Amino acid sequence: MCGIVAYLGPKEAYPILINGLRRLEYRGYDSAGVALLNDSLEVYKTKGKVADLENFVKEVDLRGTIGIAHTRWATHGEPNDVNAHPHFSQSKEIALIHNGIIENYAPLRSELETRGYVFESSTDTEVLTNLIEDIRKNENVSLFEAVRIALNQVIGAYAIVVIDAKDPNSLIAARKGSPLVIGIGNDDYYIASDATPIIEYTRNVVYLDDEEIALISRSSDLKIKTIRNKEKTPYVQELEMNLSALEKGGFEHFMLKEIFEQPQSIRDSMRGRLHADIGSVSLGGIIDYEQKLVNAKRIIIVACGTSWHAGLVGEYLFEDIARIPVEVEYASEFRYRNPVIYESDVVIAISQSGETADTLAAIDLAKQKGATILGICNVVGSSIARATHAGSYTHAGPEIGVASTKAFTAQVTLLTLMALRLAQLKGTITKTRFVHLLNELERIPDKVAKTLQSSKKVIEIAEKYKDVRNFLYLGRGYNFPVALEGALKLKEISYIHAEGYPAAEMKHGPIALIDEEMPVVVIATNKGTYDKVVSNIQEVKARKGQVIAIVTEGNVAVYGMADYVIEIPETEEMFVPLLATVPLQKLAYYIAVMRGCNVDQPRNLAKSVTVE
Ligand code: G6P
């Protein structure tokens, strides 16, 4: 989604802004722009990538020690030069960048039009910019006050930064629903939609809360007020992020780096939590809510995208070993379908970014109904992490590739730990089995490393099928969510249509699609419904489909049936998703690379979806 960077200080702003925009490219965007204030306030913006913006400004004077910059992911109005941010107000006295959606932009725009404002773009952002200008003029107030009053009239979500052509000494920033971080340097300020553009300059940051406005000024300390005019004391936190985590470290793409980081990221998710030696699991972040979990009659998991797939694995885990009913809901459906929620319910919200708008709204709804909300987030300090009653971070490290990989396996790891802990507390598992599972879970990072060792087979398969139009993924039990996730990875980054299905359901529809051109990935690991999945392989072969089977090491039976076989190490059935997902991530990756796709920033997708 859109990205914000702004700078105020003694240094030249442009290099910092462009560098920041590059750091934010991973969020997904379709145009970019910058506003710089030197003798006058100038805006440069263009459709396309940050590199296009750099080309666009090659010949212009880019001096200035204050500026704002933006990458836009289109919501209102197509991606083009005019709709790109920053937006000038009509008089060109202010310019503004915005993440989020102003839902009541249409009536606000009509009203401003009756007062003589003419709009250049189709955006909701230009409406907000002129609303602020109108208030400043008519009510004769400071820009800060005008922003505050305007935000009281706005319905929707925003993170904004406003620059005033007549004031080279201050910027105004505000947020509601979309994150905004202010980095505090020695004698300067860095503002951004997440910490990635800030980390190389300072570790001291203030996260704005919803409905807060900040006055960032050269001559005084940071001032924060709520939009209801209440003073707030800025709370300065220290970032723990590591700069090397934001670089590719020798890999061709972030996605590949993140796939290969999984042995470590899974280990990091378990660190200090899994103690196989003493037979215990401890999750400090939710320790005060363990009794709520024990007493809960039901768990509801809310999430979107890949996180929703992790939630499905969670459903199997909790029901299997902790014997508690689980419902897994798309947050976007849950929030609008008048769900039945009891105070005794525990809702687990899963989100890599911790900023997904639908997941946040689902949390709000469940909170209003009195349920207990636990979070599983990757981004520390994110909105979801703050909105939940308690939670556990996945500690997978920054995930830059838009297609989620290491965050998924970290989420599944955490859900596994939660389910194991709950099973122990509820006594639904014997001590021997519990300890056995802990020991096996501890071995998973090494088994993931083994799964990653060779890419030869996956590359061969990718070569063979890179030009097909459709793919089918089948799995059962714990491997059904794996099939969904495998299909999602492929469609996200290679633009090949792919569907994940529960293997037994194939005969109720997708079987009609199978012909000699159709590759079917079947996850047929030992245990569970293995024999039945093997029958599904035969059904595909009987219709001349092409089978790519993921099997447990040493399984020779499937070699005779499938066109390609990929082996993964033997493990407990409930841990298979942590291994079986990995070759599917690689398959999607290599196919996308061979098709010449932009793997880390697939078209139309955003890393963190902060709008509905
Ligand atoms: C976007 C991303 C997906 C992600 C989903 C949910 O669609 O492209 O990779 O799974 O949002 O995001 P979250 O941050 O809530 O896990």
Side-chain angles (χ1 to χ4, degrees):
M1 293 264 123
C2 309
I4 281 178
V5 198
Y7 175 76
L8 172 64
K11 296 184 231 167
E12 281 299 314
Y14 177 75
I16 294 168
L17 297 176
I18 283 291
N19 197 20
L21 289 187
R22 269 201 229 101
R23 291 259 183 247
L24 292 175
E25 283 193 293
Y26 80 95
R27 294 165 70 96
Y29 70 104
D30 39 52
S31 49
V34 60
L36 291 162
L37 174 55
N38 197 13
D39 295 333
S40 58
L41 180 60
E42 302 295 339
V43 169
Y44 307 102
K45 52 189 191 171
T46 179
K47 182 182 168 191
K49 295 284 167 192
V50 174
D52 296 311
L53 175 65
E54 286 179 275
N55 265 333
F56 185 69
V57 297
K58 253 189 187 145
E59 310 291 323
V60 305
D61 179 2
L62 294 167
R63 280 173 305 166
T65 57
I66 176 172
I68 61 177
H70 192 261
T71 46
R72 172 176 187 254
W73 187 85
T75 58
H76 294 64
E78 61 174 285
N80 61 24
D81 299 354
V82 177
N83 288 333
H85 300 205
H87 284 282
F88 263 132
S89 62
Q90 181 145 300
S91 69
K92 295 202 164 29
E93 280 174 12
I94 60 172
L96 183 149
I97 49 178
H98 167 222
N99 289 1
I101 289 182
I102 308 298
E103 288 171 13
N104 59 336
Y105 83 102
L108 291 172
R109 180 173 165 139
S110 309
E111 202 179 311
L112 287 164
E113 275 167 345
T114 59
R115 292 221 283 278
Y117 285 86
V118 177
F119 289 86
E120 289 183 0
S121 76
S122 339
T123 65
D124 49 341
T125 303
E126 195 186 1
V127 175
L128 177 59
T129 317
N130 279 328
L131 177 66
I132 293 169
E133 170 155 306
D134 192 56
I135 293 170
R136 175 155 80 161
K137 284 199 173 132
N138 288 336
E139 305 199 13
N140 201 16
V141 289
S142 68
L143 182 59
F144 185 87
E145 194 54 13
V147 173
R148 192 187 69 74
I149 296 169
L151 293 179
N152 275 287
Q153 296 180 22
V154 151
I155 299 169
Y158 53 80
I160 57 167
V161 184
V162 193
I163 186 166
D164 183 344
K166 298 214 181 74
D167 181 1
N169 295 317
S170 46
L171 290 169
I172 293 159
R175 86 155 255 180
K176 183 185 177 190
S178 281
L180 205 60
V181 193
I182 302 172
I184 303 173
N186 286 336
D187 50 2
D188 49 8
Y189 291 99
Y190 304 82
I191 305 155
S193 38
D194 67 45
T196 52
I198 296 178
I199 185 72
E200 55 211 273
Y201 306 107
T202 175
R203 291 193 167 269
N204 298 326
V205 296
V206 172
Y207 288 91
L208 282 190
D209 270 328
D210 273 352
E211 302 200 333
E212 284 184 352
I213 322 181
L215 178 64
I216 299 129
S217 130
R218 286 186 204 272
S219 52
S220 58
D221 289 344
L222 181 66
K223 282 200 187 64
I224 300 179
K225 269 189 178 182
T226 69
I227 63 168
R228 319 253 172 254
N229 218 5
K230 199 169 149 238
E231 304 260 352
K232 298 290 284 275
T233 310
Y235 168 54
V236 183
Q237 302 185 40
E238 201 175 319
L239 285 175
E240 280 177 14
M241 205 183 278
N242 182 342
L243 188 57
S244 66
L246 306 178
E247 323 237 285
K248 287 190 202 144
F251 285 89
E252 203 181 330
H253 295 98
F254 280 109
M255 183 180 176
L256 192 63
K257 175 183 174 233
E258 286 155 7
I259 290 173
F260 274 86
E261 275 173 354
Q262 289 177 109
Q264 191 55 43
S265 51
I266 294 175
R267 213 170 265 126
D268 289 344
S269 300
M270 296 176 182
R271 192 184 311 285
R273 295 165 167 168
L274 172 66
H275 312 280
D277 49 346
I278 53 163
S280 91
V281 168
S282 56
L283 290 163
I286 58 166
I287 204 157
D288 296 339
Y289 287 82
E290 283 188 341
Q291 219 40 52
K292 289 262 186 199
L293 265 169
V294 171
N295 297 336
K297 301 239 163 13
R298 175 173 72 153
I299 291 174
I300 302 172
I301 297 179
V302 291
C304 303
T306 289
S307 299
W308 185 80
H309 293 158
L312 285 181
V313 180
E315 175 183 17
Y316 286 84
L317 285 162
F318 280 110
E319 296 208 344
D320 193 4
I321 54 174
R323 309 303 300 145
I324 176 164
V326 179
E327 283 170 30
V328 188
E329 300 259 2
Y330 283 116
S332 52
E333 286 299 309
F334 182 78
R335 64 182 289 194
Y336 285 119
R337 70 166 183 76
N338 194 17
V340 177
I341 307 168
Y342 301 109
E343 288 189 4
S344 61
D345 288 336
V346 171
V347 173
I348 302 179
I350 308 176
S351 174
Q352 187 287 127
S353 62
E355 302 296 345
T356 304
D358 284 321
T359 311
L360 264 170
I363 291 170
D364 276 352
L365 176 69
K367 245 191 193 170
Q368 280 164 29
K369 307 270 180 185
T372 299
I373 327 284
L374 305 180
I376 295 183
C377 294
N378 194 36
V379 178
V380 177
S382 54
S383 304
I384 291 176
R386 290 187 293 165
T388 46
H389 291 119
S392 296
Y393 285 115
T394 43
H395 295 308
E399 191 180 63
I400 307 293
V402 163
S404 187
T405 53
K406 65 173 180 173
F408 173 78
T409 45
Q411 290 164 343
V412 172
T413 304
L414 211 49
L415 287 160
T416 309
L417 291 171
M418 273 189 187
L420 282 164
R421 176 67 182 146
L422 188 55
Q424 184 192 28
L425 289 168
K426 291 181 70 168
T428 51
I429 191 168
T430 65
K431 174 108 183 107
T432 327
R433 172 101 178 116
F434 182 69
V435 172
H436 168 76
L437 289 174
L438 298 197
N439 278 298
E440 180 53 21
L441 186 56
E442 201 168 47
R443 284 193 277 270
I444 288 293
D446 289 337
K447 292 190 177 184
V448 172
K450 198 168 172 210
T451 310
L452 283 165
Q453 256 166 19
S454 167
S455 301
K456 207 167 145 244
K457 186 67 91 44
V458 178
I459 290 172
E460 193 187 328
I461 300 169
E463 194 63 64
K464 163 103 190 205
Y465 296 109
K466 65 178 192 313
D467 297 318
V468 301
R469 294 173 58 112
N470 299 291
F471 249 93
L472 187 61
Y473 287 70
L474 301 177
R476 281 188 88 161
Y478 280 99
N479 285 330
F480 164 50
V482 175
L484 293 178
E485 177 57 11
L488 179 64
K489 284 293 86 80
L490 186 71
K491 76 183 117 187
E492 279 178 318
I493 60 170
S494 74
Y495 319 138
I496 294 175
H497 169 247
E499 257 187 271
Y501 241 79
E505 277 291 304
M506 176 182 68
K507 55 188 165 302
H508 299 293
I511 202 164
L513 301 171
I514 291 172
D515 59 19
E516 54 280 5
E517 312 240 298
M518 179 77 153
V520 184
V521 177
V522 188
I523 306 134
T525 47
N526 288 355
K527 308 198 180 113
T529 48
Y530 168 74
D531 292 335
K532 302 197 185 292
V533 175
V534 168
S535 306
N536 297 133
I537 293 180
Q538 274 158 345
E539 285 160 13
V540 174
K541 284 317 294 175
R543 284 152 189 90
K544 300 197 167 48
Q546 306 269 311
V547 172
I548 302 153
I550 312 290
V551 303
T552 310
E553 213 166 40
N555 175 338
V556 283
V558 173
Y559 274 86
M561 302 172 225
D563 297 82
Y564 292 93
V565 177
I566 296 175
E567 295 188 15
I568 58 170
E570 164 98 51
T571 186
E572 281 290 328
E573 192 183 0
M574 69 180 73
F575 303 147
V576 168
L578 291 168
L579 304 183
T581 307
V582 175
L584 304 187
Q585 296 168 340
K586 281 167 96 182
L587 181 63
Y589 172 80
Y590 286 112
I591 289 182
V593 170
M594 288 174 195
R595 287 166 69 92
C597 300
N598 186 344
V599 173
D600 284 334
Q601 293 160 41
R603 70 179 180 210
N604 304 340
L605 293 180
K607 181 73 186 155
S608 139
V609 180
T610 50
V611 297
E612 275 193 50

